[in-house]
Amino acid sequence: MHPVTGSRASVPAMGRAPRLSADRVRTPPRMPAARPPIRSRADAETVALLHRAARVLIEEVPRLTDRIVALMKEREPAYRSTVVDPHEVWREVHDSLSHNVRSLVHPKQTRESARSCAWRIGTDRAAQGFPLDALLHAYRIGCTVVWEQLLETASKEDPLGAQSLVHVAADVWNFVDEHCTLVATAYQEVERQLSWHRENRYRIIVAALLDGTARVSDFPEAEQVLGLPEQGRYAVVALEDADAPCRTPHSVEVGDGLRTVWHTAEGTAHAIVLLGGGGGGGECDGGRGRGSGSGPERLVRGLEVPPGARAGVSPAVTGLAAINTARRLADTALRTRPAAGSAALLEERYPEALVVSSPDLGTALADRMLGPVLALESADRELLLTTLAAWLEAGGSARRAGGLLFCHRNTVLNRLRRYEELIGRSLDHPREIMELSLALSAHRLLTP
């Protein structure tokens, strides 16, 4: 009595998920044990009439199958889909009817085979992604047809006695309820396992792209599962949140409706962001190639970094093969220590990135350019460091630096001369200024 579906449709989970099948379920769900049968209230004559009517239906299974399949297509839209194989639907409705009608005649001998058939239907349809509500609706359509056919057949044999079949109606619908429950339970068990499989595969693919272990042969699956084109134009965001390390990264708004795939590992979350536009200019085009209107600069403007978090954003790269490069550059941008609640774009922090990329050299440069200053008393040290930073920010203008520091330009010049005397170098040379700038960055970024 169980009409089933032969749908070949798949359920998209994340992006366009690949079709999953029952053989990809890690542990096939086990069918629960049958409940103790409910004692029938029907008398022996009524049961015998039911058995005789059911024996007639056994010979009518092909015709009933045709009728049920037609009603399923008429009443349940899911069965009118072009992806449903009509031959498979007919075959499974036929098999289910055969098992269940025979179970009316020989309940003890056929109960387990009928239950197994219902369980298999539930697992198969979950693997194919066919809607559970449509499946259960179709099951009840078939049960109604069989019950009506039983009444009609019994009435032809014994019009008066057929009225007594009302006493077995409860038995029949208890049977229907048990099998609907079996179908739903099997469906839900497989759906949970397949959902785990999809999510786990999703995480594995994203992690492989970010850590550089993905192979070229993996890219088609990555494109299908993640919805990221193999030759798309990407940036990577690295997010670190010391105040809330367990924050769900998916809650972070990237902006502009950009396709974003998140992954979290070891306290740092990474997002692969599809920027859109073409990707000329090599593996890493820094957002200046074709489509730069939707490049990393725009990404940073739309990125809503939580108040206690920091983010680093890579330059634009072309293709899934370059995601690992972008991830490393995003991590480098994050190590330049942007202010809390903000994002650092690597292209705007290359000097700082050079320092954090080679901390030993940065520390050596800071010692060379700032060693005597760092040896001063705390007040003098901070005064000189603040003056040097303000002077560099003012583009080498003592007047503008004085405005930033609320002091006279001559005061700034005096402090610069003192610095030159301490380190024995002149700030008249561009190279010295460059090294000083890097040294100040190294001191800020590398000092615990």
Side-chain angles (χ1 to χ4, degrees):
M1 293 191 295
H2 200 316
V4 297
T5 152
S7 168
R8 298 186 185 278
S10 60
V11 175
M14 285 164 268
R16 292 172 299 156
R19 183 179 184 276
L20 299 175
S21 56
D23 60 357
R24 298 181 72 172
V25 177
R26 291 175 61 87
T27 305
R30 299 181 63 180
M31 184 175 67
R35 296 176 298 187
I38 299 174
R39 185 178 181 82
S40 176
R41 296 183 179 181
D43 57 33
E45 289 185 7
T46 300
V47 172
L49 178 60
L50 174 68
H51 287 178
R52 290 196 299 273
R55 288 190 181 95
V56 174
L57 261 61
I58 291 174
E59 303 301 322
E60 296 288 319
V61 164
R63 181 182 64 80
L64 289 176
T65 299
D66 290 339
R67 182 180 173 191
I68 291 170
V69 169
L71 287 172
M72 287 160 52
K73 292 180 180 179
E74 175 186 333
R75 299 178 183 178
E76 179 50 63
Y79 288 90
R80 296 196 292 269
S81 170
T82 57
V83 299
V84 175
D85 183 344
H87 300 292
E88 187 176 351
V89 172
W90 194 95
R91 179 183 57 78
E92 291 196 356
V93 171
H94 180 275
D95 291 349
S96 183
L97 282 172
S98 297
H99 278 93
N100 294 330
V101 173
R102 283 182 169 82
S103 70
L104 295 175
V105 181
H106 306 290
K108 291 183 180 180
Q109 296 89 330
T110 60
R111 185 182 186 191
E112 282 307 306
S113 63
R115 294 179 76 250
S116 296
C117 181
W119 186 261
R120 177 182 54 78
I121 289 166
T123 59
D124 288 351
R125 298 314 141 240
Q128 291 183 342
F130 194 85
L132 177 58
D133 57 348
L135 176 59
L136 294 178
H137 184 203
Y139 189 98
R140 290 184 172 90
I141 289 172
C143 292
T144 301
V145 168
V146 171
W147 175 244
E148 292 173 349
Q149 192 65 38
L150 282 170
L151 292 177
E152 181 181 334
T153 303
S155 297
K156 290 179 180 178
E157 177 187 334
D158 183 356
L160 185 62
Q163 297 179 15
S164 66
L165 287 182
V166 69
H167 298 297
V168 298
D171 301 335
V172 172
W173 291 103
N174 282 333
F175 177 92
V176 172
D177 179 67
E178 178 187 10
H179 282 242
C180 281
T181 301
L182 271 176
V183 169
T185 301
Y187 187 103
Q188 291 159 359
E189 287 294 323
V190 171
E191 191 175 48
R192 277 192 288 270
Q193 293 195 31
L194 293 180
S195 176
W196 179 91
H197 175 88
R198 286 190 292 263
E199 293 172 4
N200 189 56
R201 188 61 187 155
Y202 184 94
R203 288 191 295 268
I204 289 171
I205 293 172
V206 177
L209 290 173
L210 289 167
D211 66 23
T213 58
R215 299 166 297 184
V216 173
S217 59
D218 297 327
F219 293 160
E221 183 181 9
E223 182 170 352
Q224 184 182 41
V225 173
L226 307 180
L228 301 176
E230 184 173 346
Q231 291 305 317
R233 191 162 169 274
Y234 300 100
V236 171
V237 176
L239 179 72
E240 188 175 67
D241 194 344
D243 294 340
C246 297
R247 187 192 305 269
T248 303
H250 301 75
S251 64
V252 178
E253 291 293 333
V254 174
D256 291 324
L258 298 174
R259 172 68 178 152
T260 305
V261 175
W262 283 98
H263 179 76
T264 303
E266 299 179 357
T268 300
H270 292 91
I272 303 172
V273 183
L274 177 61
L275 297 175
E283 182 182 78
C284 179
D285 59 28
R288 292 180 294 276
R290 191 173 55 185
S292 60
S294 56
E297 299 89 347
R298 180 179 172 187
L299 171 58
V300 170
R301 289 196 300 269
L303 188 62
E304 296 183 12
V305 181
R310 294 177 171 82
V313 180
S314 75
V317 299
T318 300
L320 296 178
I323 294 296
N324 171 247
T325 298
R327 192 270 304 166
R328 289 186 283 108
L329 294 176
D331 287 344
T332 299
L334 180 60
R335 293 203 306 274
T336 65
R337 287 165 54 178
S342 66
L345 180 60
L346 183 67
E347 295 173 271
E348 298 173 352
R349 294 186 175 232
Y350 280 134
E352 294 88 344
L354 289 172
V355 168
V356 297
S357 295
S358 185
D360 291 340
L361 291 177
T363 300
L365 181 61
D367 183 63
R368 174 183 175 184
M369 298 300 295
L370 299 174
V373 176
L374 298 177
L376 297 173
E377 292 294 329
S378 176
D380 284 347
R381 178 176 68 245
E382 294 306 317
L383 183 64
L384 276 184
L385 290 174
T386 302
T387 300
L388 291 169
W391 180 69
L392 289 171
E393 185 178 348
S397 168
R399 180 180 60 80
R400 291 199 296 272
L404 294 173
L405 297 169
F406 304 102
C407 64
H408 195 273
R409 65 180 294 275
N410 288 339
T411 302
V412 173
L413 292 172
N414 288 335
R415 293 173 183 172
L416 294 177
R417 280 195 291 270
R418 186 184 180 200
Y419 167 76
E420 290 176 327
E421 291 171 357
L422 284 170
I423 67 166
R425 295 176 179 275
S426 172
L427 293 177
D428 291 333
H429 302 294
R431 182 182 180 86
E432 303 294 338
I433 297 173
M434 176 193 68
E435 291 186 0
L436 172 62
S437 176
L438 290 173
L440 286 170
S441 293
H443 175 68
R444 177 177 64 86
L445 296 171
L446 302 177
T447 301

